[in-house]
Amino acid sequence: MIAALPMYQRAENAAAHAVLWALIRDGLRVRGIEAPEALDVETDHMEVWGRPDLVLSQICNLPYRAVYRERVTLIGASDYGLKDCAPGYYYSYFVVPKDDPASRPEEAAGYPLDHNDGLSQSGWGAAQLWAAERGFAFPAGKATGAHSASLARLAEGRGRLAAIDAVTWRNLERWAPEQVAAVKIIGRTGASPGQSFITRAGEDPAPYSAAIAEAIGALPAEEAATLGLKGIVPLPASAYDLPLPPKPEASAA
């Protein structure tokens, strides 16, 4: 069996994630659900989500919609308390180098969009949905593998545009301030379901949701501040009924 919380995992918050998992793990065991002692931090997240022995993970809503919807049990969406955003939802910031002339995302319509992954809602899907609603698509830029790598490219003048997950941005403000200072926000995407907790197919989500909510509420102040996780929100299935974006290879610059 396996459990992983990969979506916002960094060296700086790994210990806080471990504390969160210990609380969730114990809550699951009290409810009669077997759970591994520790989080897996080595296995690729796509493999984790497809494991038949998955106990718990967080998944971005784009791979959930595109690949895993019928293969896992949705428990609820993470709420990170983002400003001007409904609980359980998140959005991304459109970011360009600080000296770029663009001041609105419409002015960056032709810029190649650097993205962490073509199956990332925050780095690719949300930006393309925003663009589609305005009658265009951003050409694909570099697939960087991580929001932090996309930000680094902009800060170093090697990229022109990226969509950065607002929760990740908040983390980068704390842990990569020199890179944040080298770029500017020119707008934000619409909101969509936040990183969602899942378990293997066929499970009753109720005891999982209860254990997660209880664990978040029991986090010590230091770990709670580090993670910024406020709760878990059960969203309707229709919240995930969003159109799939074009694949990056179909819209390369």
Side-chain angles (χ1 to χ4, degrees):
M1 57 186 166
I2 191 169
L5 297 173
M7 303 314 290
Y8 296 124
Q9 184 83 241
R10 295 176 57 96
E12 295 92 341
N13 62 24
H17 274 119
V19 171
L20 174 63
W21 170 246
L23 292 166
I24 295 173
R25 176 201 66 208
D26 292 349
L28 292 174
R29 289 175 177 175
V30 165
R31 291 166 173 83
I33 299 169
E34 287 189 87
E37 189 67 20
L39 289 171
D40 184 301
V41 296
E42 301 295 334
T43 306
D44 180 79
H45 54 273
M46 296 284 283
E47 180 182 341
V48 168
W49 299 334
R51 287 270 294 262
D53 60 347
L54 173 64
V55 175
L56 191 74
S57 191
Q58 281 176 308
I59 191 170
C60 173
N61 76 64
L62 178 51
Y64 172 72
R65 284 151 39 215
V67 181
Y68 294 96
R69 193 166 191 162
E70 306 304 321
R71 299 170 57 187
V72 298
T73 296
L74 183 68
I75 301 167
S78 304
D79 176 29
Y80 283 89
L82 292 175
K83 185 179 178 181
D84 301 323
C85 190
Y89 286 78
Y90 76 152
Y91 52 85
S92 296
Y93 291 118
F94 287 109
V95 178
V96 297
K98 194 154 193 173
D99 60 357
D100 193 277
S103 60
R104 300 182 301 128
E106 292 88 343
E107 296 170 359
Y111 290 12
L113 179 67
D114 285 355
H115 51 284
N116 52 327
D117 189 290
L119 269 179
S120 167
Q121 175 67 8
S122 55
W124 179 254
Q128 294 296 10
L129 179 58
W130 183 94
E133 290 170 347
R134 291 157 178 80
F136 72 95
F138 290 108
K142 175 77 171 177
T144 65
H147 280 299
S148 57
S150 298
L151 179 66
R153 277 178 55 82
L154 297 183
E156 295 164 6
R158 295 183 291 120
R160 299 200 68 188
L161 174 70
I164 305 294
D165 177 328
V167 179
T168 299
W169 178 265
R170 192 165 67 188
N171 290 336
L172 292 169
E173 286 182 311
R174 285 190 284 178
W175 296 316
E178 68 291 340
Q179 292 181 343
V180 168
V183 301
K184 64 181 180 180
I185 293 172
I186 60 171
R188 54 179 266 193
T189 68
S192 61
Q195 305 296 342
S196 296
F197 290 101
I198 56 170
T199 187
R200 57 192 174 276
E203 292 292 295
D204 176 4
Y208 291 86
S209 181
I212 294 165
E214 184 179 273
I216 294 170
L219 274 172
E222 181 178 351
E223 284 75 15
T226 296
L227 296 177
L229 180 60
K230 306 300 183 183
I232 177 171
V233 180
L235 299 179
S238 60
Y240 296 85
D241 293 338
L242 300 170
L244 296 177
K247 294 182 178 180
E249 56 267 28
S251 56

